[in-house]
Amino acid sequence: MKDVLAELDAWTAAGASVALGMVVDVKRSAPRPPGAKMAINDRGDVSGAVSGGCVEGAVVQIAREVLDTGAPQLATFGIEDDEAWDVGLPCGGEISVFVSQHAHPEFASLAREGGRGALATVIEGEGLGRSLLVRADGTGDGSLGSEALDIAATAAARDLMWAERSEALVVGDTRVFVDVVHPAPRIVAVGAVDFARQLCRVARALGWRPYVVDPRGFFARADRFPEAEEVVTAWPQEGFERLGIDRATAIAVLTHDPKLDDAALHAALGTEASYIGAMGSRLAQDTRHQRLVDQGLSEAELDRIAAPIGLDLGALTAEETALSIMSEVIALRHGREGGRLRHTGGRIHDVG
């Protein structure tokens, strides 16, 4: 939604009618993931993309029909390998695009304001085009036409909006696509050290929102961390409460100071953080582990901690260490181990 939001806002403000083409399924090749959008107005203007070639031309034609009739359409484009380059699916495959009139201002507002939520839409079956908006607090508006559909879609939406991906589900004879919007993911570095400064730089370059938490005011200064969204001068418990750690937040403990490390890990384990990592040598990890056990933490709790932090890249510098940390965070975010692709099987991009 964010890719086309500026044009969509400008067009609707000017009184134009707008249709949205949305990728809802991909097989084999995936130039654009499920949820990718293309906006088309009644004057012929286009924004965004659903593939990389002439699929867009076909979607424009369907959008014109949708704007004329008001009836949404689901189109599937099967691409033969020898035609793949012409349509932006270089490995061949199949792409399904749902085209409907833009009629969900609150969902657009969530995207515009960096909010979190999901829009479930019937894309195949009875009630084609019906939609249900699900907010982060669990409330919703609209209906897909039956209580069973609403319950199933709401449950899926609650999970997907925190997993931060869009996908389809099938309930009986009805196919529903759950489209998710969410703010940029967050990573919180505990310890205003050079590793944290480089982590902020790498995270920002990847589109994440980095934060730094450290009670030591001399080190925890905004001028030392220009890429940080915010530098919080507070002990970890207070800092985490101020930031509101949720299921889409990663925490990296980088201090090398047992007082801060232990406080940060105790506080982090009391949150829903999706990732908790701690820096230190293997000897330091063993010592910390025993210390935390003696402080009453269980093995199940300690198993949540990625320690030593990061992937095995052979990192030597602070910059390389930051890359190692973000690599592990991203791998786990996508359910991967982070090994070399040449040593793995299956799909490279798990998007559909």
Side-chain angles (χ1 to χ4, degrees), residues 260-286:
L260 273 174
D261 278 2
D262 293 4
L265 291 171
H266 273 279
L269 289 169
T271 72
E272 293 183 302
S274 59
Y275 171 93
I276 302 169
M279 181 172 279
S281 68
R282 296 192 187 281
L283 177 59
Q285 301 294 346
D286 291 342

Side-chain angles (χ1 to χ4, degrees), residues 25-26 67 80 92 146 163 207-208 219 254 276-277 284 315:
D25 192 27
V26 171
L67 289 173
E80 299 295 334
S146 75
W208 286 56
F219 297 105
L254 311 174
I276 302 169

Side-chain angles (χ1 to χ4, degrees), residues 107 200 215 334:
F107 189 60
C200 288
H334 296 296

Side-chain angles (χ1 to χ4, degrees), residues 95-135:
I95 180 173
S96 296
V97 180
F98 184 71
V99 186
S100 62
Q101 288 185 306
H102 169 59
H104 302 285
E106 185 176 347
F107 189 60
S109 293
L110 281 174
R112 187 182 303 110
E113 296 162 5
R116 188 180 303 276
L119 185 68
T121 303
V122 176
I123 60 172
E124 196 170 16
E126 187 176 349
L128 186 70
R130 284 180 175 269
S131 62
L132 169 66
L133 177 71
V134 182
R135 304 180 187 88

Side-chain angles (χ1 to χ4, degrees), residues 155-179:
R158 286 173 176 166
D159 288 337
L160 290 170
M161 73 173 71
W162 290 104
E164 299 183 344
R165 70 177 188 272
S166 301
E167 65 180 43
L169 67 146
V170 177
V171 182
D173 297 326
T174 304
R175 192 170 167 215
V176 175
F177 187 76
V178 181
D179 186 24

